[in-house]
Amino acid sequence: MTPLLAHTSQAALANPELSPEARNSGTKRMNLFQAVNDALGTALMQDESVLIFGEDVAFGGVFRCTTKLAETYGGDRVFNTPLTEQGIVGFGIGLAAEGMRPVAEIQFADYIFPAFDQLVNEAAKYRYRDGANGRSAGGLTVRMPCGGVGHGGLYHSQSPESLFTHTPGLKVIIPRSPIQAKGLLLSAIRSNDPCLFMEPKILYRAAVEQVPTAAYTLPLSKAEVLKEGKDVTIISYGQPLYKCMDALKRAEQDLGISVELIDLRTIFPWDKETVLNSVRKTGRCMVVHESMINAGVGAEISAVIQGDHETFIRLEAPVARVAGWSIPTPLLYEAFNFPDVANHLLAVAPNMSNKEILSSFVEGAPPGELADVIADIKALTISTPNVLSELGPAFEKYNEEQFATVKLPGSSQQVIVSSHSSLGDGRYYDVESSSSFEFDHATQKASAAQSYVLEGAQADLVKSTLKSLSSYVKEHFPSAAHGVYPIENDSKIAIIIVANKYSPNNYWNGRWRSLYIFDPSSGSLEGSLKVDVHYYEDGNVRLLTNKPLSASIPSGTGAGILKEISTAEKKYQEELNKGFTGLSEGAFKGLRRQLPVTRQKIEWDKVASYRLGQDIGGGSSRR
């Protein structure tokens, strides 16, 4: 199996498509926009006929793909243009016709439409019109970021690749990773056909791997089999490949099937031989893409598969397509418009119920976003308004696993909902407030509070531990809920800390959860510390960490337990700092975010003070 991202130099240099020189070179850790920048710099260095131009490219571009190129190679080779897509592409066609190798940048794929006539009627037809001895636009490459990021809406999330696959004379390329981006972009620039190079912008900072530092090319119009299988073939390209990989892992685990995964890489002209050979082997096929389903890439691939006699007679089922809906990209429901793991699985296993799919949405909700998920489910299931009532187990699982917090009626104190504080039949209790309450898992509201006095063998230990825990939490967490509960027939106690910080205006949410189980009979303390942070402004990045803890508490006292917890959490937060520092040059540098976990405290307010949009684009822009 070929990993989607090469996280080691050995994996990066083992790529059989690399030249011997590239395989003998070193590597550098890059994200996708840095790999694009590296390829552009290489092209400028190696070929004086290469020029780069577009809106704002001189200072680096909206997504920083041309950073420092103007400084290095001069303003006569890397320069800004007026705000006219038709003019940018038309200028590039003229340069290519005169023997140059222009690389034109369109700021977003959504803005390519004013240049549609130039690409379809001029660039694509130039060679055919002038004949074998005439001029052509073969040296032209047009780059553009494409696809959704979760909040781009109508004019910043489109994937228009299929519109250009109807045009003989153009090549359409979409990379999945930094290694692929560098090699395929250099191939496009050196190609003697006009190329559209479409870069999934959600991967600019999210896809990070080791990339060979030497110049290298990867073959155009050649698909890559990322994983071999025998039961079903999945064909995709760009960002959806990551969803495909997650889905096939689930399918292989849950359904016991073997899945083959193919990355088209070049969307047109595409590699029919690799695809047909795979489908002849597996007998089943699914095509996945982010762009809308009607008249899309999947429709063409399906038609070719079912039109090829040798492949058609091997089909055990119709070719399935998983793609975007035939609607404008909706801002509020953008995530539901694109392929995800759930609808991949539904296509692979049609017997999977809508209830199971919706339950997976609920159980996977990021911190503080359950209400958003519920609203989305309501909007998407408007024809079945009672569907939420069927998701009770999923809501209960989510709230108990996430340690949902709620204020009791007439109180400002937060109490915790967990399996350890459950009394059954939807009731929970809290030791510190000496109360029990009903909890509605769908609305996350508490009601019917009553007095509840803890009794039992561990009551004294619970109360002493709670006293020490309260002091610890107030000192080390700006805002947190905590609780101590007897469990397992009053033979052990559970200690829980949960801290939430939601900042929708700054596009992030975070949750700290720690759970410890203390056994008084042995003095052992077992637990785990988890941090879940979701950033969703410039792409979706979610960090989930899980640190196990095992210790011995000889004293068996509440103070002794909290001393060990304090030491462990301080050490863990220091480890998180070091680990996140390693990410600072990757996803989080691109997101311009300070991480919310620091030594001693979760300093959420540092993130909240971030000025929205200040540096995301790297400068001013008209869009």
Side-chain angles (χ1 to χ4, degrees), residues 163-187:
L163 297 178
F164 298 100
T165 63
H166 303 292
T167 307
L170 298 178
K171 287 185 176 178
V172 183
I173 305 145
I174 302 183
R176 71 173 185 269
S177 69
I179 289 176
Q180 297 292 314
K182 179 178 177 179
L184 292 172
L185 180 54
L186 284 172
S187 293

Side-chain angles (χ1 to χ4, degrees), residues 16 42 52 105 126 129 203 272 297 360 397 414 434 528 593 598:
T42 299
I52 298 173
E105 177 181 303
Y126 211 132
R129 185 183 70 193
L203 299 180
K272 297 178 182 178
V297 173
S360 71
K397 180 179 179 181
Q414 295 276 359
S434 299
S528 64
R593 291 285 190 260
T598 63

Side-chain angles (χ1 to χ4, degrees), residues 363 365-367 397-405 416-418 477 480-481 495-500 502 510-516 527-533 542-548 569 572-573 576 597 602 604:
E363 293 167 13
K397 180 179 179 181
Y398 175 84
N399 286 317
E400 290 190 346
E401 289 185 350
Q402 293 294 319
F403 303 151
T405 58
I416 296 173
V417 173
S418 79
F477 294 87
I495 303 150
I496 296 175
I497 302 171
V498 57
N500 301 298
Y502 310 137
R511 176 171 294 148
W512 168 287
R513 289 176 292 157
S514 49
L515 168 65
Y516 307 95
S528 64
L529 303 89
K530 299 179 180 179
V531 173
D532 183 350
V533 186
R542 189 173 181 184
L543 290 181
L544 299 111
T545 66
N546 185 0
K547 175 71 173 180
E569 293 197 347
Y572 180 48
Q573 290 166 349
L576 282 176
V597 179
I602 305 177
W604 305 107

Side-chain angles (χ1 to χ4, degrees), residues 135-451:
R135 297 180 297 177
S136 76
L140 172 67
T141 299
V142 181
R143 293 180 44 251
M144 64 194 83
C146 66
V149 294
H151 56 275
L154 299 176
Y155 303 117
H156 295 82
S157 293
Q158 296 179 77
S159 298
E161 64 268 15
S162 64
L163 297 178
F164 298 100
T165 63
H166 303 292
T167 307
L170 298 178
K171 287 185 176 178
V172 183
I173 305 145
I174 302 183
R176 71 173 185 269
S177 69
I179 289 176
Q180 297 292 314
K182 179 178 177 179
L184 292 172
L185 180 54
L186 284 172
S187 293
I189 294 171
R190 297 173 184 178
S191 172
N192 289 322
D193 294 303
C195 295
L196 272 65
F197 196 81
M198 307 179 74
E199 301 156 7
K201 56 182 173 289
I202 197 171
L203 299 180
Y204 272 145
R205 297 171 175 87
V208 182
E209 65 180 338
Q210 295 291 330
V211 179
T213 53
Y216 63 92
T217 59
L218 295 173
L220 303 180
S221 294
K222 178 63 179 175
E224 183 179 9
V225 178
L226 298 176
K227 179 187 176 299
E228 294 189 353
K230 58 183 178 62
D231 295 320
V232 60
T233 298
I234 297 180
I235 303 159
S236 189
Y237 53 88
Q239 186 273 338
L241 283 163
Y242 295 85
K243 297 292 187 182
C244 290
M245 186 65 81
D246 290 341
L248 71 84
K249 289 178 181 177
R250 280 273 305 274
E252 291 187 332
Q253 177 181 339
D254 298 345
L255 307 175
I257 61 176
S258 172
V259 183
E260 184 148 303
L261 180 61
I262 296 176
D263 178 7
L264 280 184
R265 301 195 289 189
T266 301
I267 313 307
F268 183 78
W270 57 282
D271 184 357
K272 297 178 182 178
E273 181 181 1
T274 296
V275 169
L276 295 177
N277 285 339
S278 175
V279 179
R280 289 168 191 164
K281 176 178 68 174
T282 64
R284 294 177 177 83
C285 179
M286 179 170 66
V287 189
V288 181
H289 53 76
E290 192 173 298
S291 60
M292 63 181 63
I293 194 168
N294 59 293
V297 173
E300 171 64 13
I301 294 175
S302 301
V304 169
I305 289 171
Q306 294 171 134
D308 180 79
H309 176 74
E310 291 185 32
T311 311
F312 178 74
I313 61 175
R314 279 286 297 118
L315 286 178
E316 302 288 341
V319 177
R321 290 181 291 160
V322 177
W325 295 345
S326 297
I327 58 172
T329 304
L331 175 60
L332 184 59
Y333 305 116
E334 183 171 310
F336 288 90
N337 189 39
F338 301 135
D340 62 16
V341 173
N343 51 32
H344 279 63
L345 284 171
L346 186 60
V348 173
N351 293 328
M352 188 177 181
S353 69
N354 286 338
K355 179 180 176 181
E356 291 174 299
I357 295 172
L358 296 175
S359 293
S360 71
F361 289 167
V362 171
E363 293 167 13
E369 297 173 42
L370 180 62
D372 296 328
V373 171
I374 292 173
D376 292 340
I377 290 174
K378 287 180 179 179
L380 293 169
T381 59
I382 193 169
S383 59
T384 54
N386 296 324
V387 68
L388 285 176
S389 63
E390 301 176 8
L391 303 179
F395 287 122
E396 181 176 347
K397 180 179 179 181
Y398 175 84
N399 286 317
E400 290 190 346
E401 289 185 350
Q402 293 294 319
F403 303 151
T405 58
V406 63
K407 292 180 181 179
L408 297 182
S411 172
S412 61
Q413 181 180 345
Q414 295 276 359
V415 297
I416 296 173
V417 173
S418 79
S419 60
H420 303 296
S421 61
S422 174
L423 295 172
D425 297 324
R427 290 195 68 84
Y428 298 83
Y429 72 94
D430 176 65
V431 176
E432 193 166 34
S433 62
S434 299
S435 58
S436 69
F437 56 93
E438 289 185 6
F439 184 74
D440 186 317
H441 287 281
T443 63
Q444 294 187 310
K445 300 292 185 182
S447 62
Q450 299 176 357
S451 174

